[in-house]
Amino acid sequence: MLTIHGVPLSVHTRKTIITAILKKIDYRFEVVIPVIPGNPPANWGTLSPTGLIPVLQDGDFTLADSTAICVYLDRKQPAPSILPDDIRESARVLWFDAYAGGTIYRHVVHPLFVQTIVAPNIRNVPTDRAVIDDIVNNVQPKIFGYLDSQITGKYLVGDRMTLADIAIVSNFIVYQYLGFGIDAGRYPKLANYLRGIIATEAFQRALADERPFVDQMGLTREFLAAA
Ligand SMILES: N[C@@H](CCC(=O)N[C@@H](CS)C(=O)NCC(=O)O)C(=O)O
Protein backbone atom coordinates (compact mmCIF):
# COMPACT_ATOMS: atom_id res chain seq x y z
CA MET A 1 0.00 0.00 0.00
CA LEU A 2 1.12 3.57 -0.69
CA THR A 3 2.22 5.84 2.12
CA ILE A 4 1.64 9.60 2.05
CA HIS A 5 3.74 11.62 4.48
CA GLY A 6 2.35 15.01 5.44
CA VAL A 7 -0.48 16.72 7.31
CA PRO A 8 -3.99 16.20 5.91
CA LEU A 9 -4.84 19.87 6.21
CA SER A 10 -1.79 21.09 4.29
CA VAL A 11 -2.62 22.55 0.88
CA HIS A 12 -0.17 20.33 -0.97
CA THR A 13 -0.76 17.15 1.01
CA ARG A 14 -4.51 17.47 0.38
CA LYS A 15 -3.86 17.51 -3.38
CA THR A 16 -2.37 14.02 -3.18
CA ILE A 17 -5.07 12.75 -0.80
CA ILE A 18 -7.91 13.93 -3.02
CA THR A 19 -6.25 12.46 -6.09
CA ALA A 20 -5.90 9.11 -4.31
CA ILE A 21 -9.52 9.24 -3.10
CA LEU A 22 -10.80 10.14 -6.57
CA LYS A 23 -8.97 7.19 -8.05
CA LYS A 24 -9.89 4.82 -5.21
CA ILE A 25 -6.21 4.17 -4.50
CA ASP A 26 -5.66 2.85 -0.96
CA TYR A 27 -3.08 4.72 1.06
CA ARG A 28 -1.87 4.95 4.62
CA PHE A 29 -0.93 8.19 6.22
CA GLU A 30 2.20 9.16 8.14
CA VAL A 31 1.90 12.50 9.94
CA VAL A 32 4.89 14.79 9.39
CA ILE A 33 4.68 18.47 10.41
CA PRO A 34 7.80 20.29 9.13
CA VAL A 35 6.95 23.63 10.77
CA ILE A 36 7.19 22.04 14.23
CA PRO A 37 10.88 21.79 15.13
CA GLY A 38 11.92 18.19 15.80
CA ASN A 39 8.69 16.71 14.41
CA PRO A 40 9.95 15.23 11.13
CA PRO A 41 11.49 11.74 11.47
CA ALA A 42 15.28 11.25 11.44
CA ASN A 43 15.31 10.07 7.80
CA TRP A 44 13.19 13.03 6.63
CA GLY A 45 16.08 14.63 4.71
CA THR A 46 16.34 11.48 2.61
CA LEU A 47 12.60 11.22 2.00
CA SER A 48 12.06 14.92 1.25
CA PRO A 49 14.98 16.69 -0.44
CA THR A 50 13.31 20.08 0.22
CA GLY A 51 12.11 19.20 3.72
CA LEU A 52 8.57 20.00 2.58
CA ILE A 53 5.45 17.83 2.61
CA PRO A 54 4.00 15.79 0.98
CA VAL A 55 6.16 12.79 0.17
CA LEU A 56 4.90 9.55 -1.35
CA GLN A 57 6.33 6.09 -0.83
CA ASP A 58 5.24 3.29 -3.13
CA GLY A 59 7.30 0.23 -2.22
CA ASP A 60 10.93 1.19 -2.78
CA PHE A 61 9.94 4.29 -4.79
CA THR A 62 9.98 7.66 -3.02
CA LEU A 63 8.67 10.89 -4.54
CA ALA A 64 8.37 14.44 -3.22
CA ASP A 65 6.29 17.32 -4.60
CA SER A 66 2.51 17.26 -4.79
CA THR A 67 2.26 17.75 -8.55
CA ALA A 68 4.78 14.99 -9.26
CA ILE A 69 2.86 12.71 -6.87
CA CYS A 70 -0.54 13.51 -8.42
CA VAL A 71 0.80 12.85 -11.93
CA TYR A 72 2.37 9.58 -10.71
CA LEU A 73 -0.97 8.50 -9.23
CA ASP A 74 -2.68 9.50 -12.48
CA ARG A 75 -0.40 7.19 -14.45
CA LYS A 76 -0.64 4.41 -11.88
CA GLN A 77 -4.44 4.40 -11.89
CA PRO A 78 -5.54 6.20 -15.08
CA ALA A 79 -9.29 6.38 -14.35
CA PRO A 80 -10.70 8.85 -13.68
CA SER A 81 -7.94 10.98 -15.13
CA ILE A 82 -7.08 14.32 -13.56
CA LEU A 83 -5.32 15.48 -16.74
CA PRO A 84 -7.44 15.90 -19.88
CA ASP A 85 -6.40 14.26 -23.17
CA ASP A 86 -6.83 17.49 -25.09
CA ILE A 87 -3.43 19.20 -25.21
CA ARG A 88 -4.72 22.71 -24.58
CA GLU A 89 -6.95 21.62 -21.73
CA SER A 90 -4.11 19.61 -20.25
CA ALA A 91 -1.79 22.61 -20.53
CA ARG A 92 -4.38 24.82 -18.83
CA VAL A 93 -4.71 22.33 -16.00
CA LEU A 94 -0.95 22.49 -15.44
CA TRP A 95 -1.12 26.29 -15.60
CA PHE A 96 -3.75 26.44 -12.86
CA ASP A 97 -1.78 23.96 -10.78
CA ALA A 98 1.32 26.16 -11.11
CA TYR A 99 -0.75 29.28 -10.36
CA ALA A 100 -2.15 27.58 -7.25
CA GLY A 101 1.29 26.76 -5.85
CA GLY A 102 3.32 29.68 -7.20
CA THR A 103 0.85 32.51 -6.73
CA ILE A 104 -2.14 31.68 -4.49
CA TYR A 105 -0.20 29.62 -1.97
CA ARG A 106 3.00 31.64 -2.10
CA HIS A 107 1.50 35.12 -1.97
CA VAL A 108 -1.76 34.59 -0.06
CA VAL A 109 -2.27 31.32 1.81
CA HIS A 110 1.24 30.67 3.08
CA PRO A 111 1.88 34.19 4.43
CA LEU A 112 -1.60 34.23 6.03
CA PHE A 113 -0.88 30.84 7.61
CA VAL A 114 2.45 32.11 8.91
CA GLN A 115 0.87 35.23 10.40
CA THR A 116 -2.19 33.61 11.94
CA ILE A 117 -0.84 30.19 13.06
CA VAL A 118 2.94 29.91 12.93
CA ALA A 119 3.89 33.32 14.37
CA PRO A 120 1.71 33.27 17.50
CA ASN A 121 1.70 29.51 18.19
CA ILE A 122 5.08 28.23 17.08
CA ARG A 123 7.45 31.19 16.81
CA ASN A 124 5.88 32.96 19.79
CA VAL A 125 5.88 36.33 18.03
CA PRO A 126 2.80 38.51 17.51
CA THR A 127 0.79 38.43 14.30
CA ASP A 128 1.76 41.29 11.99
CA ARG A 129 -1.61 42.85 11.08
CA ALA A 130 0.02 45.03 8.42
CA VAL A 131 1.12 41.94 6.48
CA ILE A 132 -2.41 40.50 6.63
CA ASP A 133 -4.00 43.80 5.59
CA ASP A 134 -1.63 44.13 2.66
CA ILE A 135 -2.50 40.63 1.41
CA VAL A 136 -6.24 41.12 1.82
CA ASN A 137 -6.36 44.63 0.35
CA ASN A 138 -3.60 44.61 -2.24
CA VAL A 139 -2.59 41.07 -3.18
CA GLN A 140 -5.67 38.90 -3.23
CA PRO A 141 -8.06 41.11 -5.27
CA LYS A 142 -6.08 40.60 -8.47
CA ILE A 143 -5.87 36.85 -7.89
CA PHE A 144 -9.53 36.41 -6.96
CA GLY A 145 -10.60 38.64 -9.85
CA TYR A 146 -8.54 36.60 -12.28
CA LEU A 147 -9.99 33.31 -11.06
CA ASP A 148 -13.53 34.71 -11.16
CA SER A 149 -12.93 35.67 -14.80
CA GLN A 150 -11.79 32.13 -15.68
CA ILE A 151 -14.77 30.21 -14.33
CA THR A 152 -17.35 29.18 -16.90
CA GLY A 153 -18.84 26.02 -15.40
CA LYS A 154 -18.66 23.61 -12.50
CA TYR A 155 -14.99 22.77 -13.19
CA LEU A 156 -12.14 25.09 -14.11
CA VAL A 157 -11.15 23.10 -17.21
CA GLY A 158 -13.40 20.76 -19.19
CA ASP A 159 -16.36 18.90 -17.73
CA ARG A 160 -14.85 16.86 -14.91
CA MET A 161 -12.59 17.37 -11.93
CA THR A 162 -8.94 17.83 -12.81
CA LEU A 163 -5.72 18.67 -11.02
CA ALA A 164 -6.62 22.33 -11.61
CA ASP A 165 -9.66 22.12 -9.31
CA ILE A 166 -7.82 19.97 -6.78
CA ALA A 167 -4.91 22.43 -6.51
CA ILE A 168 -6.89 25.67 -6.56
CA VAL A 169 -9.65 24.60 -4.17
CA SER A 170 -7.19 23.00 -1.76
CA ASN A 171 -5.70 26.46 -1.28
CA PHE A 172 -9.09 28.03 -0.64
CA ILE A 173 -9.92 25.43 1.98
CA VAL A 174 -6.94 26.47 4.08
CA TYR A 175 -7.65 30.14 3.36
CA GLN A 176 -11.13 29.69 4.83
CA TYR A 177 -9.93 27.50 7.71
CA LEU A 178 -7.88 30.52 8.76
CA GLY A 179 -11.08 32.53 9.03
CA PHE A 180 -10.87 34.47 5.76
CA GLY A 181 -13.89 34.57 3.48
CA ILE A 182 -14.68 35.00 -0.21
CA ASP A 183 -16.81 38.06 -0.93
CA ALA A 184 -19.59 36.48 -3.02
CA GLY A 185 -20.84 39.92 -4.08
CA ARG A 186 -17.47 40.78 -5.58
CA TYR A 187 -16.45 37.30 -6.81
CA PRO A 188 -19.77 35.48 -7.41
CA LYS A 189 -18.45 32.86 -9.81
CA LEU A 190 -15.49 32.04 -7.60
CA ALA A 191 -17.66 31.70 -4.49
CA ASN A 192 -20.14 29.46 -6.29
CA TYR A 193 -17.39 27.39 -7.90
CA LEU A 194 -15.70 26.77 -4.54
CA ARG A 195 -18.97 25.63 -2.97
CA GLY A 196 -19.55 23.21 -5.87
CA ILE A 197 -16.11 21.61 -5.73
CA ILE A 198 -16.09 21.39 -1.94
CA ALA A 199 -19.45 19.58 -2.11
CA THR A 200 -18.05 16.78 -4.31
CA GLU A 201 -17.62 13.34 -2.75
CA ALA A 202 -13.81 13.31 -2.93
CA PHE A 203 -13.48 16.68 -1.20
CA GLN A 204 -16.11 15.81 1.40
CA ARG A 205 -14.26 12.63 2.33
CA ALA A 206 -10.91 14.38 2.56
CA LEU A 207 -12.45 17.14 4.69
CA ALA A 208 -14.08 14.61 7.01
CA ASP A 209 -10.76 12.77 7.42
CA GLU A 210 -8.88 15.97 8.29
CA ARG A 211 -11.46 17.23 10.74
CA PRO A 212 -9.62 16.01 13.90
CA PHE A 213 -6.60 18.15 12.91
CA VAL A 214 -8.80 21.15 12.18
CA ASP A 215 -10.58 20.87 15.51
CA GLN A 216 -7.32 20.36 17.37
CA MET A 217 -5.91 23.55 15.86
CA GLY A 218 -9.08 25.50 16.61
CA LEU A 219 -9.63 26.38 12.94
CA THR A 220 -13.05 27.32 11.58
CA ARG A 221 -15.19 24.87 9.57
CA GLU A 222 -18.18 27.21 9.32
CA PHE A 223 -17.72 27.81 5.59
CA LEU A 224 -18.31 24.09 4.99
CA ALA A 225 -21.92 24.42 6.08
CA ALA A 226 -22.59 26.39 2.89
CA ALA A 227 -21.14 23.70 0.61
N1 LIG B 1 6.06 22.44 -4.41
C1 LIG B 1 5.80 21.70 -3.20
C2 LIG B 1 5.41 22.65 -2.09
C3 LIG B 1 5.20 21.90 -0.79
C4 LIG B 1 4.95 22.82 0.40
O1 LIG B 1 5.14 24.05 0.32
N2 LIG B 1 4.51 22.22 1.51
C5 LIG B 1 4.25 22.97 2.72
C6 LIG B 1 2.94 22.54 3.35
S1 LIG B 1 1.53 22.85 2.32
C7 LIG B 1 5.34 22.66 3.73
O2 LIG B 1 5.90 21.59 3.75
N3 LIG B 1 5.62 23.64 4.61
C8 LIG B 1 6.54 23.43 5.68
C9 LIG B 1 7.60 24.47 5.74
O3 LIG B 1 7.51 25.48 5.02
O4 LIG B 1 8.54 24.26 6.52
C10 LIG B 1 4.69 20.67 -3.47
O5 LIG B 1 3.86 20.93 -4.34
O6 LIG B 1 4.66 19.62 -2.82
Side-chain angles (χ1 to χ4, degrees), residues 7-223:
V7 191
L9 53 77
S10 107
V11 164
H12 296 95
T13 306
R14 188 182 302 101
K15 282 171 61 182
T16 64
I17 290 174
I18 287 175
T19 301
I21 291 174
L22 209 56
K23 292 171 171 294
K24 301 193 181 357
I25 296 174
D26 284 340
Y27 63 90
R28 57 182 285 278
F29 205 82
E30 239 359 284
V31 175
V32 178
I33 310 177
V35 289
I36 298 185
N39 178 273
N43 65 340
W44 186 236
T46 316
L47 292 175
S48 175
T50 58
L52 300 175
I53 52 174
V55 167
L56 175 86
Q57 278 187 294
D58 185 7
D60 60 1
F61 180 64
T62 302
L63 187 64
D65 190 86
S66 62
T67 301
I69 295 168
C70 290
V71 171
Y72 175 76
L73 296 178
D74 201 49
R75 299 289 291 272
K76 191 176 170 79
Q77 170 55 59
S81 180
I82 56 166
L83 287 171
D85 292 334
D86 178 85
I87 62 165
R88 291 188 179 185
E89 286 193 350
S90 174
R92 266 176 70 73
V93 166
L94 293 177
W95 151 249
F96 282 119
D97 179 59
Y99 188 71
T103 299
I104 307 175
Y105 180 73
R106 182 160 172 225
H107 297 302
V108 177
V109 176
H110 183 253
L112 289 178
F113 184 78
V114 168
Q115 287 306 325
T116 54
I117 304 288
V118 179
N121 300 307
I122 297 170
R123 292 188 191 149
N124 292 318
V125 295
T127 296
D128 188 338
R129 283 296 326 171
V131 172
I132 294 181
D133 290 346
D134 182 52
I135 294 166
V136 169
N137 298 324
N138 304 322
V139 179
Q140 74 180 30
K142 186 174 170 210
I143 295 170
F144 289 12
Y146 168 68
L147 287 173
D148 202 68
S149 78
Q150 295 299 301
I151 294 162
T152 53
K154 180 171 169 69
Y155 303 102
L156 263 177
V157 180
D159 56 7
R160 61 165 196 261
M161 189 179 297
T162 65
L163 181 58
D165 305 302
I166 295 171
I168 296 280
V169 179
S170 190
N171 272 276
F172 278 97
I173 288 170
V174 174
Y175 176 83
Q176 292 175 101
Y177 275 159
L178 299 177
F180 298 92
I182 320 296
D183 181 346
R186 198 167 169 192
Y187 311 108
K189 288 194 280 180
L190 178 60
N192 190 44
Y193 161 77
L194 293 173
R195 272 196 300 275
I197 299 295
I198 286 172
T200 59
E201 209 182 314
F203 270 83
Q204 285 294 309
R205 195 182 128 198
L207 291 167
D209 289 352
E210 68 194 54
R211 181 169 188 163
F213 292 86
V214 177
D215 290 344
Q216 195 185 334
M217 287 176 68
L219 302 174
T220 175
R221 293 183 89 253
E222 274 168 35
F223 66 97

